[in-house]
Amino acid sequence: MFPQARVLVIEDERDIAHVIRDYLTVNKFEVMIAETGKEARHIVETTDLHFIILDLTLPDDDGIELCRQIREKSHIPILILSARGSDTDKVLGLGFGADDYMTKPFSLSELVARINAHLRKHERLLNTHKDNEILRFGKIEINKKAYKVTLDNKAISLSAKEFDLLYFLSKHSNQVFSKRQLLDEIWGYAEYGDENTITVYIRRLREKLEANPSNPVYIQTVWGIGYKFSTNND
């Protein structure tokens, strides 16, 4: 539990927004509600937030585009909450910077569990005593303190979770991790997680870092087990 963590609920259906607000308030969260993209942008720009719950369907905005814009300016964990449950929407949402995805109807207790898991993980990453470490592998440089990755001296744009996943794998280079282990380490939970989330993020990292994503040098698949960051080809 994270008392007084400030959560922004971006949801135009008032009944749903108020149910979420009331349940989170009982669980000791401070909750703000935005019914439009315009309201949400104002709150994000003027308020110290700890977590965002984002509905994809807003009266004045596209939720996925709003997610992308928020992610460009902040590493606040974002959970998409939507009635649109297709794999395409999940991939788009996660690809544009969301940290998690839940489909309506949803369990309020599961929502709280996921929020707490993300907050724990975010806090651990912020408090790590090795924040200033820079990892180098061939043409790739990973700067933990600056949350920056360069490839051949050119900056690579990564979402917060893309960076976290890359940093964790590279920090434990040549070790193999299952999708479940990666969900637990990066997202902070495994029980409720969708393993396809890992598949999406691995694919996006390969597209951004590998010369040939279909034949990756660094982020390799160990069939039947999981993934590893290989340094054998530096």
Side-chain angles (χ1 to χ4, degrees):
M1 190 78 62
F2 290 80
Q4 300 309 305
R6 192 171 296 110
V7 178
L8 172 62
V9 179
I10 307 173
E11 169 63 72
D12 66 319
E13 295 187 47
R14 290 188 178 182
D15 289 345
I16 294 177
H18 290 174
V19 167
I20 294 173
R21 180 198 62 193
D22 294 346
Y23 194 83
L24 293 186
T25 300
V26 168
N27 282 274
K28 310 302 182 183
F29 292 98
E30 180 181 340
V31 183
M32 304 179 73
I33 295 175
E35 296 184 2
T36 66
K38 182 178 180 180
E39 291 177 14
R41 286 186 182 85
H42 176 72
I43 293 173
V44 170
E45 291 172 359
T46 60
T47 308
D48 182 19
L49 299 170
H50 301 96
F51 198 87
I52 294 174
I53 298 171
L54 170 62
D55 180 34
L56 288 183
T57 305
L58 298 171
D60 66 334
D61 218 328
D62 177 75
I64 289 176
E65 175 61 17
L66 178 58
C67 176
R68 185 189 66 79
Q69 292 174 4
I70 293 172
R71 181 54 71 233
E72 284 183 345
K73 299 178 180 179
S74 173
H75 292 296
I76 298 169
I78 300 173
L79 182 146
I80 287 177
L81 188 64
S82 178
R84 290 155 48 179
S86 73
D87 288 340
T88 299
D89 288 321
K90 292 181 181 180
V91 169
L92 285 173
L94 295 172
F96 280 104
D99 299 283
D100 205 351
Y101 193 111
M102 291 181 70
T103 303
K104 299 176 183 177
F106 58 94
S107 162
L108 287 167
S109 60
E110 180 181 344
L111 177 62
V112 169
R114 292 200 187 195
I115 293 172
N116 282 322
H118 283 293
L119 291 176
R120 283 194 298 269
K121 182 60 185 176
H122 194 62
E123 185 177 49
R124 274 165 47 196
L125 290 171
L126 290 176
N127 293 335
T128 178
H129 65 283
K130 294 185 178 180
D131 273 352
N132 61 347
E133 187 168 2
I134 297 177
L135 304 178
R136 295 182 178 88
F137 307 94
K139 296 180 179 181
I140 298 175
E141 181 176 287
I142 306 168
N143 187 321
K144 181 66 174 68
K145 186 175 183 179
Y147 252 75
K148 181 180 179 181
V149 176
T150 59
L151 175 64
D152 203 14
N153 295 319
K154 296 180 181 179
I156 302 298
S157 177
L158 299 181
S159 71
K161 279 295 184 288
E162 286 172 352
F163 182 94
D164 293 342
L165 178 57
L166 175 63
Y167 182 80
F168 178 80
L169 286 172
S170 60
K171 181 70 176 175
H172 302 87
S173 57
N174 300 314
Q175 296 183 41
V176 182
F177 295 92
S178 69
K179 292 180 181 180
R180 273 307 193 201
Q181 287 174 314
L182 293 174
L183 275 172
D184 191 50
E185 288 291 340
I186 307 305
W187 278 259
Y189 61 86
E191 180 180 356
Y192 298 114
D194 183 350
E195 293 186 3
N196 289 330
T197 299
I198 300 298
T199 304
V200 171
Y201 275 80
I202 290 291
R203 182 174 69 248
R204 290 185 64 82
L205 284 175
R206 286 172 173 167
E207 290 172 350
K208 294 180 179 182
L209 297 173
E210 301 280 1
N212 182 1
S214 62
N215 186 25
V217 171
Y218 293 106
I219 305 171
Q220 298 185 355
T221 299
V222 180
W223 296 107
I225 303 177
Y227 302 99
K228 70 175 181 178
F229 187 94
S230 175
T231 61
N232 297 326
N233 298 286
D234 284 358

